[in-house]
Amino acid sequence: MSRLPAISGRICVKALEKTGFYLKRWEGSHMILRRGYPFAQVVVPDHKELDRGTLRAIIRQADLSIAEFVDLL
């Protein structure tokens, strides 16, 4: 299992956009991304550094493995 990197919310969004996610809306400090097929919606906080548990939950909701996500960075 790969180690999760310490990244910001915006870097996370850029990585998710490579898999088909797009920015649906921005509410306060949270970015809501959506993918059409297969349908998925994730909320990414716009923080300088995401907590490891938060990042792990985002990756899980996007139906990615940690290794796949690290390759997108």
Side-chain angles (χ1 to χ4, degrees), residues 6 8 11 23 49 52-53:
S8 70
I11 293 173
L23 185 64
E49 185 174 333
R52 300 223 189 269

Side-chain angles (χ1 to χ4, degrees), residues 15-48:
L16 290 174
E17 286 176 341
K18 294 177 185 177
T19 64
F21 281 90
Y22 62 92
L23 185 64
K24 177 73 173 168
R25 64 184 183 274
W26 195 315
E27 293 186 9
S29 66
H30 291 82
M31 299 170 277
I32 292 89
L33 289 95
R34 184 174 280 180
R35 178 177 61 197
Y37 184 80
F39 179 79
Q41 182 169 305
V42 296
V43 179
V44 180
D46 186 22
H47 296 164
K48 290 183 181 179

Side-chain angles (χ1 to χ4, degrees), residues 22-23 33 49 55-56 68-72:
Y22 62 92
L23 185 64
L33 289 95
E49 185 174 333
L55 182 56
R56 189 177 303 276
E68 290 171 334
F69 183 78
V70 170
D71 289 340
L72 293 171

